[in-house]
Every structure is written in structure tokens, then in C-alpha cells.
Amino acid sequence: MSPFGIGVIGCGNISNQYLKNLSAFPDVDVRIVADLDAGRAKAQAAAYGVPAWGSPADALADPGVALIVNLTIPAAHAEVSGAAIAAGKHVWSEKPLTLDVASGRALLAAADAAGVRVGCAPDTVLGAGLQSARRLIDSGAIGTPLTALTLLQGPGPQTWHPDPEFLFAPGAGPLFDLGPYYLSVLATLFGPAQRVAAIGRRPRESRVIGRGPRAGAEFSVAVPTYVAALAEYAAGQAASLLFSWDSPLSRVGFVEITGTEATLAVPDPNGFAGDLRVRKAGDEDWTVIPSEGAAAGRGSGVVDMVRAIKDGRPHRASGEMALHVLEMMAAIERSALSGAFEDLASRFDVPEPLDAQWDPYVTAH
Ligand SMILES: NC(=O)c1ccc[n+]([C@@H]2O[C@H](COP(=O)([O-])OP(=O)(O)OC[C@H]3O[C@@H](n4cnc5c(N)ncnc54)[C@H](O)[C@@H]3O)[C@@H](O)[C@H]2O)c1
């Protein structure tokens, strides 16, 4: 079967990882790259051997493009994904799905009406690390999963991102920027949540760019940069979560799932690989279990989506799961202001696990 035609809109920082992978995965063919900044699109086309570059409208008008990969900033996600759906294209979006739940819901409704699909990052949940954790838990290795503890703390991305303003604007902050990784792991392992509560803080009103051509420039911070949350899942599990860019100490990728028989440490949810570690009551140390499966990186979710479209089955990193994660983040932010528990309405079907042989580099189609 011929590869699926892809148009990429948004040629910034993360487009490098996507273009490197998508141009190597046999199920997809990147036909055009586009950006509001034509120079960026032209440079990425040259760097990754993409045959065409242009404006977002050029990508939407390309008859060879069946799916748009939206790598724009969060504030543009709803508009760019909406335009792709209106043009009859399937959409894979970077996270978060949109800035708010109403526009996320409207986007999924528009896709349903148009008969196209929406998939959403993070596709790290399809990586060897989390998929091995999922298979291990399903095998009963930790007993019944009861609770989770996650930690993400550090000084913040103004230290490394050359244009970090959007990361401190609505739709970002540590909760909306990195929350999707942690919350999607728990969504994959526990299913939907039913209520959340949180405390939020914004200790600094402005920050200074640390690197790149604009180093030294000051910009304002619009969102909480410390968020401590509690989540209760519909199936009964509970989680404690910390998202902070107000810590000189960096500690990222900490996710522990505790069951009736053991605790499982899952590899960094912002990565695709890593060892699992299991500790049972009475153990003096962790037992290390190497993860199994593909760890091909960003764009893996696009391949699963394209294969699912061809096979007529649900894709795994779904718009519905992303909408639930978005609703969770919005409710966490609301709770940080209200001080009350906030209920969640959205639900999604927990995706089937991938088997260890799944590989986006080897096409079965
Ligand atoms: N940088 C990372 O490490 C990283 C990692 C994972 C996910 N992401 C996500 O990827 C997305 C992009 O992040 P980034 O770091 O690449 O940002 P970036 O600012 O480096 O790049 C965004 C690009 O989108 C373009 N753009 C903005 N609005 C547009 C519009 N309406 N139409 C067309 N192009 C538009 C900009 O010109 C820019 O080239 C965000 O959603 C972010 O959360 C980033």
C-alpha cells in the first residue's frame, strides 16, 4: 500500500525530531512543510529532503496530503487543526490538544462530522518504557494498582528554549506543557479520572531568557509555575502529582505506581525507553527490568494512527484521551484558584497495549 501523505505545519524546535523520524518511517511520506515564517519552512524542507514548502494554506490545499501534523504553538493548535479538519484532513496535534476544553470538544465534534480522525501527543505513551509497564501491570506483577506518585521539578525552560515566552503563557506552564506526559501515563494505566484538587503558585512575575540570540530578554509569566495536585480515578486509584518550574533542583521523570504487592518505577514519561524498576515488600533493593519494544521517538503516534485508519480500528494516542487530559489540567488549574475539588465529565476508552514487536520502521501494510 502506498505511504500516507503528510503535511507538517509548524517548523520550530520540535519539528526536527518529527521530521527526522517521519522521513524515515515507511508508512508515511512527508509531502510538504509549512509555517507562518516561510524561511523556517524552506530551511526544514532543505534539511529533511521534503519536496515542497510553503504557507499553512499551501499544506491544506495539497491533494497528496491526507493528514496534517500540527507542530505550532499551543495558542494556534485549535485554529490550525480546525482548518485541517475543514480541509478534509486527518490531524495529529502536538500537545495540548487546544488551550481550553470547549475548543477541544468542538474540534473533536468537527472531526467526527467530517469523518476524519484526531490524534494527539504525547506519543511517548507508545514507547517501550510505558508499554512495558502496561504489560507488566496487566500481568499482575504489582498486584492491584492503587496509587501513583509523580514529580517534575526544575528551574524552567527559559534556561534552554530560545523562544520560551509561549511556555509561560496560557496553555503552558509546567502543568500544561509537561502535565500531558505524566497525566497520559496515568490515563493509560488507570483510565479516566473523576475529580482533582490542587494548589498553585506563581512566585516570579517575569523571567529572563537564558540562551540563544535573545538571551537576557525579560518576559512576563502568566501562569502558575508550581502546581501540586491530587487526582482520583474512576476505577478507584489515587495520585499525587507535582509540576514545578520553581526549583533549582532538577528532578524529572519520576513516576511510581504502587500496587497491593509492589511498587513499579516507570521510566521518564517524556521519553520512549528506559528500564522499569520493581520493589516488593521486604526487598532490599529494586529489581531492574529492561523495557521491551520500539522506542523510535516522536511521530510513532502518527504511524499508529495511519495504520489504524488503514485497518479501520481505533488509534491509540486519541483525541478523546487528549481531551480528557486537557480537561484534567483545566480542572487542576481551576482548583488551584477555587480551593475546591473539581469534577471531570469526559471519558475515553483505554487503548489496547502495543505488543513488544510493534515497530514504526517496519511496515506491515
Ligand atoms: N520544544 C520541545 O522540546 C517540545 C517537546 C515536545 C512538544 N513540544 C510541543 O510542540 C509544539 C511546538 O513547540 P516548539 O518548541 O517547536 O515551538 P517553536 O516556537 O519553536 O515553533 C513553533 C512554530 O510554529 C509556527 N507557528 C506559530 N503559529 C502558527 C500558525 N498559526 N500557523 C503556522 N505556523 C505557526 C511558528 O512560526 C514556529 O516556527 C508545542 O505545542 C509544544 O508544546 C515541544
Side-chain angles (χ1 to χ4, degrees):
M1 224 182 253
S2 59
F4 223 76
I6 304 279
V8 172
I9 301 183
C11 292
N13 196 294
I14 202 63
S15 68
N16 291 302
Q17 287 184 37
Y18 272 93
L19 288 169
K20 176 170 171 280
N21 293 337
L22 291 176
S23 47
F25 294 154
D27 291 77
V28 296
D29 180 20
V30 183
R31 306 274 177 101
I32 181 166
V33 285
D35 199 292
L36 287 180
D37 179 339
R40 285 191 172 187
K42 186 178 180 188
Q44 291 302 67
Y48 295 96
V50 179
W53 56 273
S55 66
D58 293 331
L60 298 182
D62 188 325
V65 168
L67 184 151
I68 292 289
V69 173
N70 178 0
L71 307 182
T72 62
I73 55 172
H77 285 178
E79 181 200 330
V80 170
S81 297
I85 290 165
K89 317 286 188 193
H90 303 287
V91 173
W92 171 269
S93 174
E94 250 306 331
K95 45 77 188 165
L97 181 63
T98 56
L99 289 189
D100 59 77
V101 176
S103 55
R105 212 172 266 141
L107 194 73
L108 298 194
D112 265 355
V116 295
R117 300 219 194 172
V118 176
C120 190
D123 50 5
T124 45
V125 291
L126 303 186
L130 183 65
Q131 289 295 320
S132 299
R134 171 89 192 272
R135 292 188 293 264
L136 194 75
I137 291 174
D138 289 354
S139 78
I142 67 166
T144 305
L146 298 175
T147 59
L149 175 64
T150 78
L151 294 178
L152 169 281
Q153 58 180 171
Q158 79 286 350
T159 54
W160 62 269
H161 200 294
D163 299 304
E165 284 91 336
F166 81 86
L167 292 164
F168 294 86
L175 174 62
F176 279 77
D177 183 48
L178 294 164
Y181 298 107
Y182 295 80
L183 297 173
S184 300
V185 163
L186 299 189
T188 302
L189 298 177
F190 291 169
Q194 61 186 16
R195 62 174 191 151
V196 294
I199 292 174
R201 291 288 183 271
R202 185 172 60 102
R204 279 181 281 162
E205 301 219 323
S206 69
R207 297 201 177 203
V208 174
I209 300 178
R211 277 223 199 135
R214 299 172 55 232
E218 192 170 349
F219 62 93
S220 56
V221 174
V223 291
T225 46
Y226 172 96
V227 178
L230 298 175
E232 182 177 74
Y233 287 81
Q237 307 91 338
S240 313
L241 311 123
L242 178 71
F243 304 104
S244 171
W245 285 342
D246 285 304
S247 169
L249 171 67
S250 273
R251 187 155 40 187
V252 301
F254 184 106
V255 178
E256 284 182 1
I257 311 294
T258 293
T260 47
E261 310 300 324
T263 291
L264 165 66
V266 176
D268 187 345
N270 194 359
F272 286 79
D275 291 337
L276 316 181
R277 290 176 302 131
V278 175
R279 197 152 170 167
K280 295 198 172 75
D283 283 356
E284 290 192 356
D285 204 350
W286 295 91
T287 300
V288 175
I289 304 174
S291 60
E292 262 188 285
R298 291 190 162 87
S300 299
V302 178
V303 173
D304 176 61
M305 191 172 163
V306 162
R307 292 180 182 176
I309 291 168
K310 287 180 174 168
D311 293 346
R313 57 157 177 90
H315 54 286
R316 290 179 172 80
S318 68
E320 285 73 21
M321 189 158 104
L323 179 65
H324 182 75
V325 165
L326 176 64
E327 189 192 9
M328 230 178 143
M329 296 189 294
I332 286 171
E333 201 168 64
R334 243 182 7 258
S335 171
L337 293 172
S338 70
F341 270 92
E342 298 282 341
D343 292 330
L344 301 167
S346 64
R347 296 288 183 266
F348 61 92
D349 294 327
V350 176
E352 289 295 312
L354 284 170
D355 68 43
Q357 280 68 48
W358 189 85
D359 187 345
Y361 287 107
V362 179
T363 183
H365 290 86

